[in-house]
Amino acid sequence: MAVAAKKKNLRKDTVNEIIRAEDNWEPVGHTPMPEIPDLRNWDMRLMKTYKPFYAPMCDLCCFCTYGKCDLTGDKRGACGIDISTQQARVVLLACCMGMSAHGGHARHVLHYLIEKHGRDYKINLGDQIFVEAPHIRTVLGLKPETLGDLEKAMDYVESQLIHAISSLHTGQEGSALDYESKALHISMLDHVAMEVGDIAQIVGFGYPTSVADTPLVDMGWGSIDKTKPTILLVGHNPVTAVPIVDYINEHGLQDKVEVGGICCTALEVTRYTDRAKIVGPLSRQLYFIRTGFADVIVTDEQCIRTDIAIEAAKVGTALIATTDKACYGLEDYSKRETDEIVKDMLDGKQTLIFDPDKAAEAAVRVALELAPKRKKELVTPEQVPDLAKDHRLCNMCSQVCPNLLPVGDAIEAAKNGNLQPLTEVFNKCIGCGKCEQECPRHVPIFKMMQAVAGSETWKVRAGRGPIMDVEIRKVGAPIVLGTIPGIIAIVGCSNFPEEISEVADIAEEFAKRKYIVVLTGCSAMAAGMKKDKEGKTIYEKYPPNFDAGGVLNIGSCVANSHITGAAMKVANIFATLPLRGNYEVIADYILNRVGACGLAWGAYSQKAASIATGCNRLGIPVVLGPHSAKYRRLYMSRKEEDDWTVMDGREKKLVDTQEPSPEHLITVVESKERAMVTMAKLCIRKNDTAQGRQIKLTHYIGLHKQHLGTLPDDLHLYVRKASDIPIFFKKEVMAYLEKVGWKEKPVLTLPTLIGTYPSEVPIESVVH
Amino acid sequence: MAVAAKKKNLRKDTVNEIIRAEDNWEPVGHTPMPEIPDLRNWDMRLMKTYKPFYAPMCDLCCFCTYGKCDLTGDKRGACGIDISTQQARVVLLACCMGMSAHGGHARHVLHYLIEKHGRDYKINLGDQIFVEAPHIRTVLGLKPETLGDLEKAMDYVESQLIHAISSLHTGQEGSALDYESKALHISMLDHVAMEVGDIAQIVGFGYPTSVADTPLVDMGWGSIDKTKPTILLVGHNPVTAVPIVDYINEHGLQDKVEVGGICCTALEVTRYTDRAKIVGPLSRQLYFIRTGFADVIVTDEQCIRTDIAIEAAKVGTALIATTDKACYGLEDYSKRETDEIVKDMLDGKQTLIFDPDKAAEAAVRVALELAPKRKKELVTPEQVPDLAKDHRLCNMCSQVCPNLLPVGDAIEAAKNGNLQPLTEVFNKCIGCGKCEQECPRHVPIFKMMQAVAGSETWKVRAGRGPIMDVEIRKVGAPIVLGTIPGIIAIVGCSNFPEEISEVADIAEEFAKRKYIVVLTGCSAMAAGMKKDKEGKTIYEKYPPNFDAGGVLNIGSCVANSHITGAAMKVANIFATLPLRGNYEVIADYILNRVGACGLAWGAYSQKAASIATGCNRLGIPVVLGPHSAKYRRLYMSRKEEDDWTVMDGREKKLVDTQEPSPEHLITVVESKERAMVTMAKLCIRKNDTAQGRQIKLTHYIGLHKQHLGTLPDDLHLYVRKASDIPIFFKKEVMAYLEKVGWKEKPVLTLPTLIGTYPSEVPIESVVH
Amino acid sequence: MTMTLPYHRVNVLTGTKAARIIEDASEYAHLVKRAQRPLLVLGSWSLTTTLGGKLLIEYGVEIAKTLDIPICATAHTKKKLLELGVEPASSYDIIEILNHLKDPAWKGVKKEGNHDLVMFLGFRTDLGEQGLSTLKHYAPHLKTMTLCKFYYPHASYSLSNFRKDEQWKEFLDNLITNLKSKEA
Amino acid sequence: MTMTLPYHRVNVLTGTKAARIIEDASEYAHLVKRAQRPLLVLGSWSLTTTLGGKLLIEYGVEIAKTLDIPICATAHTKKKLLELGVEPASSYDIIEILNHLKDPAWKGVKKEGNHDLVMFLGFRTDLGEQGLSTLKHYAPHLKTMTLCKFYYPHASYSLSNFRKDEQWKEFLDNLITNLKSKEA
């Protein structure tokens, strides 16, 4: 007790100092710079409705030397862990990896830019963005003004990570729900880290900002002029890509050197210059490398084939690795003279260079030297049968395909001169190369694909970064009232189950229906890889504004923070709720009132896990493609069995709404058709006005009828009053409702979960 | 180039500011606050001799949604990874978990103590310790003066973690060696984090320091007075344990309440008060909990059974969880009134209380209330056959035992009245409880063990913390010259392959042979769990000084930093090498000149992985018990095939020593006998004088003959000149050397690896 | 080696509890007949896979009809079922029906109680195998049975990897015949 | 279910490549006889396990003697071997001998070249299984064979889990007889 009396509140003092609590731009909410326990009650409340659903990848745990331990049945491991807790533990690990990938990137970019511009360099996102960093504002309670302020955000993020990783140690957390709460915490911080990274890049590299119609840039490996020296950027971090462009510009080589990128570095470099090319998404990485058209590959970090150094060497492409994340065992040339580096590289040495300017110069100079000697030709359709001549239909290739594709049958057809099946396989190929590796007869499957890949090019709009405040002001009301039916965020990797064009199909379906469609990363690319009859991609057909029917490329992976940020800005700018240290109120607002739904159709990575889980904590549901069942955990309700009681914030009383909206926080669907139906449903929110609900139900019913043939069999759950019924389907719906004995549902003025679980947030906080 | 010109050296400036570079207590070395790439060349040099040896636990990788990927043969996964790189990745993950466990603990303790004492509270380790923090000095380049300075060390550690975790993401590192280098980096930081944690505890809680003969405390569950209210502390972090003791003292309850601990919290609390009891190591956790003798269990973090809340409830023991690492899904009572907490706990509620003072008061008050009602009796030998009556010899219990024990046979014997086999099983039991869980006939195996466990008590010396400077001054020369044959560090968990008493046997063997024997954690306990004929433990028989023949309990897991720290202090205090930012020189010194060897005979955890890997980067070899093959990676040489060339630091020329010393950096051995032989060999260093080498070979030969029956068949590799031959074995050795055609080996004045690999460290740095 | 690998290697079992492989249609039929409340779950591949000139979903319909087994139509299979004149008892997506099945207290698609045998036809093997893992671990109250030509380790009962579609067709035809027969 | 689980469940296989189970001593003998440079590695359990009144290590010695197979004595088995009048060819510890075996260029314990068949007897099954994993993954140039009464998934050839020691004894006796016989 004596001890307690002596104690200061160290944490509160420290937090107040970091966030400059005395600056009164907004009152400080209840959870500035939250630690693991601080939002735990919110998580538990979410998981009361949206319970973790587990699909174990393994019956066992092998984390410590007591193991392996069998966790089937009701067995516990030697440490006492059960199968659910072990799954949640693995989920937390994935989220930590994902957050750290973005966080490590953000730190690196920030460090580079502070070296360049200084710690006091101002954050200025142009004349249309004043709520510059909704995540940093909401989570930390800090309004960042300089690059130095962004460092504070990263310090905080890093301080949380060590505790989460610690909890993964054997003999720590014993509750699946608590591991989930930690995963939600770390994933919330992932969005903070992504925001830090992208804001730093925008202001530090001068990316476009406060503008919607960013340039249309070239995409497709066919857009690379193979007669020129070519530098291929692979990864996610522009710290070396930008100096490469600068070096080219400073030396007047703009027309003499091609710069193309795979994955997010491509999206980054095209924000810096629209002369750069996007070769394609992750799934085209190995394919393009094996063509040998790149003279130099520069790798940075994340989603790079780990055997890229070996693959580059095989085709005679030079390689420079540039980050501590992926060193490939190469010799560190960072402190050598550039002349020496170039000489050694021309002698065939692959190098590791942490100095971006040095790496940039070396890359360009080596490319200029190597290109004239490059002799690479694509395989023609005529050559294919001969390449396949050793093929026997053993189907090992099909058996090892992570996308379950009938590779063997396609090779069989190709051997006989029919390339159509191989074309189909290529269009679904995720690019891992295991088929060829496994082939006992060494059929060069990837090479054969050159004959079917086509050299088509597309246009994709360069990533635009944050949504402008003025856009939010305009769409805030229609979104919250429901008259804009929803924000559809199509994000994530290219591990698609079917044709890559499905992404474009889904995006267009919702754009046509006047949803706001935002995209990032490999999905933003994939959405551009389909043309209509006039040869136009959706980026050319739909407006680039954050408004009904717009189709927006927000940017790379780290730009995902601007999508969640936009939802936060709706609460702040439209509903005037303070963001500052006010996470629960903002998440509750979004869950109940902002009809947004994410889709990660081809998610493969741990980053996708943390991005999605971060959306979930903020109240944004996410739909995943079938491969994502391997993430092991979803958050799902059971619409008819669960309790849908919320608080009416104005009346301050509990109301059993009987309405499962949104129905799930994160779920997997099997087909694109089902995905669209589910997404339309997941945009429904309790706060919808009758008019808004009519519009949302119009799309839900329309998509359901189109793809499933009937009215939805849960339709009655979403009709509160007769006035919610879409006019277009009125008769049919009325008949259905009568049949199922539908009754009017309770009225609600302001739906909120605040007040339904233990929280320090008073219910008054949600009334704006 | 323009960009480069503008750049400041941000990192150097920042580092200099943090470490107060202008303070000239020592010159700043080449790697203050190193990042991942900075010591990479040192790692690569180590791994040139000590190559990673992998024993995969699984053929597959299941980290991303491309998987599962088969990595057998020369197959690569969908991301391009191969089996070795995947193993190294898992090793890095384990080291990150281990480091984070200590780091999270250190942060928590530090935060609590700064709240209590303020950031400017001075670090004072007593009048015998001036090199207060060899790791922080060596790794960061900072001489920490206050608790606030320790925070800087943790900030730095946390800043490194995010990059390491990022590199675990799919599509990052493609080299096993580079993953290993990252693991070595993180594990080096583990020792920094442990040092922060233990220094903070010592100064903040007033643990004994600058003293060797700390009190002898009671150990064994029999030492708990079962007639009194009993609080059981489980875990590693004293932040709540200390206030419990304070509360008891302040309320005059010293004679009325028993405080006992399991695992490291037991070691911590007995450093704070010698009235507390050590119940036992980790392996006795479930056993003791199931006796129900504890009235209240207070958990903190690490190595706690994850089902402890369930187990406590089963026997009617109240439970308070106190850290964010392990919340067990419990309701957060931190902000409730203590009266309410006590009331709810008496009603059967388990609670989560982050406020240590509140948790302390609640624990004591609840224990006082519950104890009078507790009715628990031990099973007697007479009751055993009846308890076993449903037993059939299906042997499922034996099949699931992680220690491969013949549990079924022992139960069979017990059923027939012979308890000897069950006694043997108990003595080898690691305490997981899987046998009983698996039993289809629900035989209460753990209960039956009560009849054989005995209530013997032992004495163990309370943990003493850092080695005193004066001790180092005294033993520095004999250690480096070899006349003290070595420092034997017996550390780690209680996942022992055979009887727990093996640890005491090994410790005593080396103490008798006048090695310096230091112990920590569960091994420090286990070493005390054996008595000689006079009833004395080794702690009562051998002196507590850091000197030849001493047996020292250094403390809990985090006190391991003082063992490595002692080796650093030899370099600094004896050899006057500057520590500051001078990691390579210090590690090189230790590798070549400080004959230390670790033994983790029962290592089970990720912490053990990072502690050992941190020793390895510092040049200290570690021997592991058989279970540790499941860590998947060792660092081993092949004595006859490998190149043992080093630099002669004075002569500045390369010398092929032909001497494999130390032979391995980390290896697994199968039996205690082999362990002792191997450890004696691993204490040999190139710098040994002839006299020192004679002494070391005397023990190596002696142990080898004793346990393997002959002279070592690699003995000729360790005899440089005839003067190295131990007098005691002279004839025999001479005959052997003649038989194998031994020749004199090159002379060496100052062995060092500096100069044999790319490094900025000039060779002059190693000459003191 | 005595371990059976699934056709698609991404589905390799890592664990201790693997499906019983049954190749005899009469044994399958016996298990189905013995079930109190069987359920047939149809997946998206049933719309794209043809076998003996018919869509896989048509086999599903025939199987369901034999014993009036209710159908859960996942993905977008409902539309095709309606075209085939079959009204599925429910149209949850795959993960949703699994989420219900793992609750022993769930009332089932016919509100008569949870199912005791769940048959799966026409799923991507990766999604199917993950889903079966959920039921293996969390639904000890029911058995799972796969009808596709692949070995599914996480199922209770699985076919083996059929080399030829003819074998599969024959199995399904025999299964239908057996289910139709009056004998138990 | 067609999967074989090892006796000690901590050794369960998680993967794709499992041992061939052989229960016929003559088949084992055939494999040993066919080997160019077999090696017998003896572990610490050979000192503590008795079978038919003899120490396991004595069976090891008998096996080695049949074809003059060199012995690597790991742990502290060397002392007992000397007592039994046998000089082992080497006395590496288990991990050290594995570390050599995985190098195809290693000269072997007799300096005649690396071994092509390595037999293991008397190891803790957990350490043994981990060690066999190393060889399975990193020593495609050799085959591994276990002689203990447990199924070892990571070996090339393994016995099954013998229920009774008598079976094991019979197997070892038969193996010795077969190895002694002149027939290949």
Side-chain angles (χ1 to χ4, degrees), chain B residues 212-234:
Chain B
D213 57 338
T214 50
L216 288 162
V217 296
D218 290 324
M219 177 166 61
W221 64 276
S223 65
I224 301 281
D225 181 345
K226 285 148 213 76
T227 65
K228 294 181 185 171
T230 299
I231 297 170
L232 177 69
L233 310 165
V234 187

Side-chain angles (χ1 to χ4, degrees), chain A residues 320-375:
Chain A
I320 303 173
T322 64
T323 79
D324 58 345
K325 311 301 179 298
C327 302
Y328 310 124
L330 301 177
E331 199 173 329
D332 187 351
Y333 274 74
S334 306
K335 291 178 181 159
R336 308 276 190 92
E337 293 300 317
T338 314
D339 287 350
E340 188 189 345
I341 299 173
V342 171
K343 184 181 163 301
D344 279 12
M345 288 187 69
L346 293 175
D347 287 346
K349 269 280 232 183
Q350 299 180 326
T351 58
L352 175 61
I353 311 176
F354 297 118
D355 180 324
D357 301 307
K358 208 175 266 188
E361 183 182 344
V364 178
R365 287 174 52 188
V366 170
L368 287 167
E369 295 269 356
L370 288 180
K373 299 169 220 160
R374 168 176 24 108
K375 287 189 183 67

Side-chain angles (χ1 to χ4, degrees), chain D residues 87-131:
Chain D
E87 176 83 33
S90 79
S91 83
Y92 293 112
D93 203 11
I94 170 74
I95 298 288
E96 291 173 319
I97 183 70
L98 297 171
N99 197 32
H100 285 296
L101 286 166
K102 69 194 180 70
D103 172 11
W106 183 50
K107 290 291 172 210
V109 298
K110 297 174 77 180
K111 314 279 174 205
E112 293 167 352
N114 201 342
H115 305 276
D116 54 350
L117 180 81
V118 186
M119 304 154 77
F120 292 88
L121 181 67
F123 287 91
R124 289 182 62 90
T125 64
D126 50 4
L127 179 58
E129 179 66 358
Q130 281 301 102

